[in-house]
Coordinates of all heavy atoms in Angstrom, one line a residue:
Chain B
S257 N 39.3 -13.8 0.9 CA 40.6 -14.2 1.5 C 40.3 -15.3 2.6 O 41.1 -15.4 3.5 CB 41.2 -13.0 2.2 OG 41.3 -11.9 1.4
S258 N 39.2 -16.1 2.3 CA 39.1 -17.2 3.2 C 40.1 -18.3 2.9 O 40.6 -18.4 1.8 CB 37.7 -17.8 3.1 OG 37.4 -18.2 1.8
I259 N 40.3 -19.1 3.9 CA 41.3 -20.2 3.8 C 40.6 -21.5 3.9 O 39.9 -21.7 4.9 CB 42.4 -20.1 4.8 CG1 43.2 -18.8 4.6 CG2 43.4 -21.3 4.8 CD1 44.3 -18.5 5.6
I260 N 40.6 -22.3 2.8 CA 40.0 -23.6 3.0 C 41.0 -24.7 3.1 O 42.0 -24.8 2.3 CB 39.2 -23.9 1.7 CG1 38.3 -22.7 1.3 CG2 38.4 -25.2 1.8 CD1 37.1 -22.5 2.2
R261 N 41.0 -25.5 4.2 CA 41.9 -26.6 4.4 C 41.5 -27.8 3.6 O 40.3 -28.3 3.6 CB 41.9 -26.9 5.9 CG 42.7 -25.9 6.8 CD 44.2 -26.3 6.7 NE 45.1 -25.2 7.3 CZ 46.3 -25.1 7.0 NH1 46.9 -26.0 6.2 NH2 47.0 -24.2 7.6
L262 N 42.5 -28.5 3.0 CA 42.3 -29.8 2.3 C 43.3 -30.7 2.7 O 44.2 -30.4 3.6 CB 42.2 -29.4 0.8 CG 41.1 -28.6 0.3 CD1 41.4 -28.0 -1.1 CD2 39.7 -29.3 0.4
D263 N 43.3 -31.9 2.1 CA 44.1 -33.0 2.6 C 45.5 -33.1 1.9 O 46.4 -33.9 2.4 CB 43.4 -34.4 2.4 CG 42.3 -34.4 3.3 OD1 42.3 -33.8 4.4 OD2 41.3 -35.1 3.0
G264 N 45.8 -32.4 0.7 CA 47.0 -32.6 0.0 C 48.2 -31.9 0.6 O 48.3 -31.6 1.8
N265 N 49.2 -31.6 -0.3 CA 50.4 -31.0 0.1 C 50.9 -29.8 -0.7 O 52.0 -29.3 -0.5 CB 51.6 -32.1 0.1 CG 51.7 -32.7 -1.3 OD1 51.1 -32.2 -2.3 ND2 52.5 -33.7 -1.5
I266 N 49.9 -29.2 -1.4 CA 50.3 -28.0 -2.2 C 49.3 -26.9 -1.8 O 48.1 -27.0 -1.9 CB 50.2 -28.3 -3.7 CG1 51.4 -29.2 -4.1 CG2 50.4 -26.9 -4.5 CD1 51.3 -29.7 -5.5
A267 N 49.9 -25.8 -1.3 CA 49.1 -24.6 -1.0 C 48.9 -23.8 -2.3 O 49.8 -23.5 -3.0 CB 49.8 -23.7 0.0
C268 N 47.6 -23.5 -2.5 CA 47.2 -22.8 -3.7 C 46.8 -21.3 -3.3 O 45.9 -21.2 -2.5 CB 46.0 -23.3 -4.5 SG 46.5 -24.8 -5.3
L269 N 47.4 -20.3 -3.9 CA 47.1 -19.0 -3.6 C 46.6 -18.3 -4.9 O 47.3 -18.3 -6.0 CB 48.3 -18.3 -3.1 CG 48.3 -17.0 -2.4 CD1 47.3 -17.1 -1.2 CD2 49.7 -16.6 -2.0
S270 N 45.3 -17.8 -4.9 CA 44.8 -17.2 -6.1 C 43.8 -16.0 -5.7 O 43.8 -15.7 -4.5 CB 44.0 -18.3 -6.9 OG 43.8 -17.9 -8.2
N271 N 43.3 -15.4 -6.7 CA 42.4 -14.3 -6.4 C 41.1 -14.5 -7.1 O 41.0 -14.8 -8.4 CB 43.0 -13.0 -6.7 CG 43.2 -12.6 -8.2 OD1 43.5 -13.6 -8.9 ND2 43.2 -11.4 -8.5
G272 N 40.0 -14.4 -6.4 CA 38.6 -14.6 -7.0 C 38.3 -16.1 -6.8 O 39.0 -16.9 -7.1
A273 N 37.0 -16.3 -6.5 CA 36.5 -17.6 -6.2 C 36.7 -18.5 -7.5 O 37.1 -19.7 -7.4 CB 35.1 -17.7 -5.7
G274 N 36.3 -17.9 -8.7 CA 36.4 -18.8 -9.9 C 37.7 -19.2 -10.3 O 38.0 -20.3 -10.6
L275 N 38.7 -18.2 -10.2 CA 40.0 -18.6 -10.5 C 40.7 -19.5 -9.5 O 41.4 -20.5 -9.8 CB 40.9 -17.3 -10.6 CG 42.3 -17.5 -11.2 CD1 42.2 -17.9 -12.7 CD2 43.0 -16.2 -11.2
C276 N 40.3 -19.4 -8.2 CA 40.7 -20.3 -7.2 C 40.3 -21.8 -7.5 O 41.1 -22.7 -7.5 CB 40.1 -20.0 -5.8 SG 41.0 -18.7 -5.0
M277 N 39.0 -21.9 -7.9 CA 38.4 -23.2 -8.2 C 39.1 -23.7 -9.5 O 39.4 -25.0 -9.5 CB 36.9 -23.1 -8.3 CG 36.2 -22.9 -7.1 SD 34.4 -23.2 -7.2 CE 33.9 -21.7 -8.0
A278 N 39.3 -22.9 -10.4 CA 39.7 -23.4 -11.8 C 41.2 -23.8 -11.6 O 41.7 -24.8 -12.1 CB 39.7 -22.3 -12.8
T279 N 42.0 -23.1 -10.8 CA 43.4 -23.5 -10.5 C 43.4 -24.9 -9.7 O 44.2 -25.7 -10.1 CB 44.1 -22.3 -9.7 OG1 43.9 -21.1 -10.4 CG2 45.5 -22.6 -9.5
L280 N 42.6 -25.0 -8.8 CA 42.5 -26.3 -8.0 C 42.2 -27.4 -9.0 O 42.7 -28.5 -8.9 CB 41.5 -26.0 -6.9 CG 41.6 -26.8 -5.7 CD1 43.0 -26.4 -5.0 CD2 40.5 -26.5 -4.7
D281 N 41.2 -27.1 -9.9 CA 40.8 -28.1 -10.8 C 42.0 -28.6 -11.7 O 42.2 -29.8 -11.8 CB 39.7 -27.6 -11.8 CG 38.3 -27.4 -11.1 OD1 38.2 -27.9 -10.0 OD2 37.5 -26.7 -11.7
L282 N 42.8 -27.6 -12.1 CA 43.9 -28.0 -13.0 C 44.9 -28.7 -12.2 O 45.5 -29.7 -12.7 CB 44.5 -26.7 -13.6 CG 45.6 -26.9 -14.7 CD1 45.0 -27.8 -15.8 CD2 46.0 -25.6 -15.2
L283 N 45.2 -28.3 -10.9 CA 46.1 -29.1 -10.1 C 45.8 -30.5 -9.9 O 46.6 -31.4 -10.1 CB 46.2 -28.4 -8.7 CG 47.1 -29.0 -7.7 CD1 48.5 -28.9 -8.1 CD2 46.9 -28.3 -6.3
H284 N 44.5 -30.7 -9.7 CA 44.0 -32.0 -9.5 C 44.0 -32.8 -10.8 O 44.4 -34.0 -10.8 CB 42.5 -32.1 -9.0 CG 42.4 -31.6 -7.6 ND1 41.4 -32.1 -6.7 CD2 43.1 -30.8 -6.8 CE1 41.6 -31.6 -5.5 NE2 42.6 -30.8 -5.6
Q285 N 43.7 -32.2 -11.9 CA 43.7 -32.9 -13.1 C 45.1 -33.3 -13.5 O 45.3 -34.3 -14.2 CB 43.1 -32.0 -14.2 CG 41.5 -32.1 -14.2 CD 40.8 -30.8 -14.9 OE1 41.5 -29.8 -15.1 NE2 39.5 -31.0 -15.1
L286 N 46.1 -32.6 -13.1 CA 47.5 -32.9 -13.3 C 48.0 -33.8 -12.3 O 49.3 -34.1 -12.3 CB 48.3 -31.6 -13.5 CG 47.9 -30.7 -14.7 CD1 48.7 -29.5 -14.7 CD2 48.1 -31.4 -16.0
G287 N 47.2 -34.2 -11.4 CA 47.7 -35.3 -10.4 C 48.1 -34.7 -9.1 O 48.5 -35.5 -8.2
G288 N 47.9 -33.4 -8.8 CA 48.4 -32.9 -7.5 C 47.2 -32.9 -6.5 O 46.0 -33.1 -6.9
Q289 N 47.5 -32.6 -5.3 CA 46.5 -32.5 -4.2 C 46.8 -31.2 -3.5 O 47.9 -31.0 -3.0 CB 46.7 -33.7 -3.3 CG 46.2 -35.0 -3.9 CD 44.7 -35.2 -4.3 OE1 44.0 -34.5 -3.6 NE2 44.4 -35.9 -5.3
A290 N 45.8 -30.4 -3.2 CA 46.0 -29.1 -2.5 C 45.9 -29.4 -1.0 O 45.2 -30.2 -0.5 CB 44.9 -28.2 -2.9
S291 N 46.8 -28.6 -0.3 CA 46.8 -28.7 1.2 C 45.7 -27.6 1.7 O 45.2 -27.8 2.8 CB 48.1 -28.4 1.8 OG 48.6 -27.1 1.3

Side-chain angles (χ1 to χ4, degrees):
Chain B
S257 308
S258 61
I259 298 175
I260 311 285
R261 282 276 169 199
L262 295 165
D263 292 333
N265 56 5
I266 293 170
C268 284
L269 197 55
S270 196
N271 65 330
L275 193 60
C276 280
M277 287 193 283
T279 306
L280 210 61
D281 287 347
L282 186 59
L283 176 66
H284 285 211
Q285 280 158 345
L286 295 175
Q289 294 291 333
S291 56

